[in-house]
Amino acid sequence: MGWPRQAYSAALHLAAPLIWRRLRREHALTDPRPLRLGRIPETPSDVRMLWLHCASVGEVQAARPLIDALLARYPDHALTVTTMTATGAERLRALVEGRGDDRLAHRFVPLDFPRAAARFVERLRPELALFFETELWPNLLHACRRGDIPVAVVNGRLSERALDGYRRLRPLMREALGGVDWLAAKSAEDAARFAELGMPASRTTVVGSLKFDTAPDDEAPRVSKRLRRQLGRRHVWVAGSTHEGEEAQILAAHALVRRRYPEALLVLVPRHPQRFDEVAELCERLGQATARRSQGQRPSDATSVYLADTMGELTALYGAADLAFVGGSLVPVGGHNLLEPAAQGVPVLSGPELANFADVAAVLRAADALVEAPDGEGLGEALIRLFADPAECHRLGEAGRGVVAANRGALIKTLEGLGTLLASK
């Protein structure tokens, strides 16, 4: 074991109590603890396995076109998708149930202890390992390399902020990236950042963002239409994937909107389920009449906020709105998927914090398909302006839809690269 990975592994073991405590707090230990140590059932010898790792719910959603395409292109293979978080697991399990395909399964990824990583890879026995976006786990990558398993990083993304952190671990990252056979980078800027950490240009291809290839599932449009009928003709906006410190600004923006449009409804969708009760209490404390979707409550004419405290419905909720605000952007999180509402022709608003989606935001800006607000007050003013201008809303929605359509194609390039990698095994 090289000294960078040795030091990293020692630090992980020292931090183990904190890691387990955090997983319990985030409700990620919904599977038995041994599975987090790689103690999974062995893949039968007659099963050809592919493995895709996604961090959480956003990555699972973005990876869905790839999941569907892999199952279609390789009918003789099974596909295991791992996640780190419980929210990602719930989204993936819903996808498994919806597909009804016994070739698709979910596992929690093991913690990156050396023995756990090695045990997981030895038992799963994948022919190809795919890591989505920035999921670079040194011991898992080493276990794949030791097992002669080709590794690809797909939709490879590395923000400037993430790069700043990884620079402090450059020797470790250079060793980890040595186990990556192919990087399908999201943009030239992402490829350059990976290169700075040691990823060879000869094993890197810029393919574009898989997020542009994302499309709502068959059920989402039906849910959107049904919900929109329930909501009636009132002005409706969705704030999706919101974070701590952001909901208060969003509710302040909604208070401004309600002064101009007293019937306006905010559909509020917190990012993390462990915060649902906290956000509900905040709404009530600020005097917002709130209905909770998880409890089967329907918004009445008197309802100001519809708290969507459920999982896996964000796409459908965006589709039911007149306007969509994408969260993680009024606080220094880096933003979330701006393309999810844009693909449905829903005008997109955000805050200024978009480091994680800088390339996507740039494309939307170039098409004048993104409205950015500096803070909660600016968001409220932008919402009022747009609600008063249906023609501009229509133009924004069509511009966003056009951006998504014009930038599709990363999926085909990714599949071609993976096919070459798999054939080389």
Side-chain angles (χ1 to χ4, degrees), residues 163-188:
L163 177 61
D164 287 342
Y166 280 131
R167 281 192 182 106
R168 304 186 187 97
L169 305 170
R170 199 188 304 264
L172 174 66
M173 299 317 300
R174 184 180 296 111
E175 181 181 345
L177 288 168
V180 175
D181 297 282
W182 183 53
L183 166 65
K186 193 161 65 78
S187 70

Side-chain angles (χ1 to χ4, degrees), residues 72-120:
R73 180 165 288 209
Y74 300 105
D76 296 331
H77 288 70
L79 174 61
T80 291
V81 181
T82 54
T83 64
M84 176 60 74
T85 69
T87 55
E90 290 173 11
R91 185 70 191 97
L92 198 283
R93 286 168 176 166
L95 178 58
V96 171
E97 293 172 5
R99 285 188 61 93
D101 188 338
D102 59 8
R103 294 183 301 137
L104 177 62
H106 169 264
R107 299 278 183 206
F108 279 114
V109 74
L111 298 175
D112 202 35
F113 303 125
R115 289 180 62 83
R119 184 184 298 117
F120 179 86

Side-chain angles (χ1 to χ4, degrees), residues 339-375:
L339 299 175
E340 201 166 359
Q344 302 181 74
V346 179
V348 183
L349 300 93
S350 80
E353 300 283 350
L354 294 172
N356 293 340
F357 287 83
D359 55 337
V360 170
V363 175
L364 289 170
R365 284 191 202 104
D368 196 13
L370 176 64
V371 176
E372 296 173 83
D375 49 31

Side-chain angles (χ1 to χ4, degrees), residues 21-92:
R21 190 176 303 126
R22 178 173 179 177
L23 287 176
R24 281 193 295 272
R25 187 172 66 248
E26 294 182 357
H27 307 290
L29 289 179
T30 53
D31 274 4
R33 179 171 172 148
L35 299 185
R36 284 290 190 170
L37 296 174
R39 294 190 174 95
I40 62 170
E42 291 190 26
T43 299
S45 58
D46 60 339
V47 173
R48 304 180 67 184
M49 181 64 69
L50 304 175
W51 170 31
L52 170 64
H53 174 59
C54 300
S56 190
V57 62
E59 291 76 18
V60 171
Q61 187 66 23
R64 179 171 175 177
L66 179 60
I67 292 169
D68 292 339
L70 288 171
L71 290 169
R73 180 165 288 209
Y74 300 105
D76 296 331
H77 288 70
L79 174 61
T80 291
V81 181
T82 54
T83 64
M84 176 60 74
T85 69
T87 55
E90 290 173 11
R91 185 70 191 97
L92 198 283

Side-chain angles (χ1 to χ4, degrees), residues 138-157:
N139 285 317
L140 278 171
L141 290 169
H142 175 77
C144 290
R145 180 167 52 183
R146 191 177 65 176
D148 197 27
I149 298 162
V151 171
V153 174
V154 294
N155 209 51
R157 175 177 67 84

